[in-house]
């Protein structure tokens, strides 16, 4: 098979194009993955913070949000309801909880039995 001199070197630009497209795709994939990780971490931090706020204090919520890599943007209490919004990186997540006092069910005698240690 004969190759004409004009045909030489056509593979180099094609390989360069494929490398550039591959690098761009890898960059986009990395950015999307980073956003998804931030979103998941923000939801985890918001869930932990709202449970801490419902069972404890606003300071507890901030500590747990920070332990999960987030910062509390807002914490709202309305009666027993608590709503916390947390930011992690570029993502923000909100979680809600109801702070309800749980009572132990009555024992066989109809009287409430004490919790262990009471």
């Amino acid at each position: 098979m004969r190759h004409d001199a004009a045909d030489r070197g056509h593979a180099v630009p094609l390989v360069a194009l494929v490398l550039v497209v591959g690098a761009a795709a890898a960059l986009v994939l990395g950015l999307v993955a980073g956003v998804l990780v931030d979103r998941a971490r923000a939801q985890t931090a918001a869930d932990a913070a709202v449970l801490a706020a419902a069972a404890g204090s606003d300071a507890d919520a901030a500590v747990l949000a920070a332990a999960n890599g987030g910062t509390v943007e807002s914490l709202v209490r309305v009666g027993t309801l608590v709503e916390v919004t947390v930011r992690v990186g570029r993502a923000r997540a909100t979680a809600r909880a109801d702070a309800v006092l749980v009572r132990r069910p009555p024992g066989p005698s109809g009287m409430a039995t004490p919790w262990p240690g009471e």
Side-chain angles (χ1 to χ4, degrees):
M1 209 159 121
R2 284 180 31 151
H3 294 286
D4 196 8
D7 290 336
R8 303 188 111 195
H10 284 108
V12 172
L14 182 60
V15 169
L17 178 64
V18 167
L19 288 175
V20 167
V21 169
L27 178 66
V28 168
L29 183 64
L31 292 174
V32 169
V35 169
L36 292 176
V37 167
D38 282 351
R39 186 180 302 168
R41 289 182 64 210
Q43 190 61 57
T44 298
D47 291 343
V50 78
L51 291 174
S57 67
D58 296 2
D60 294 337
V63 167
L64 276 179
N68 286 284
T71 56
V72 174
E73 287 193 337
S74 71
L75 193 151
V76 178
R77 292 178 185 273
V78 178
T80 60
L81 297 175
V82 181
E83 180 179 281
V84 176
T85 301
V86 174
R87 176 174 291 283
V88 174
R90 298 169 293 232
R92 181 185 319 179
T94 300
R96 293 173 192 86
D98 194 355
V100 177
L101 178 62
V102 177
R103 297 185 186 267
R104 189 164 190 167
S109 67
M111 299 292 292
T113 56
W115 291 99
E118 286 184 341

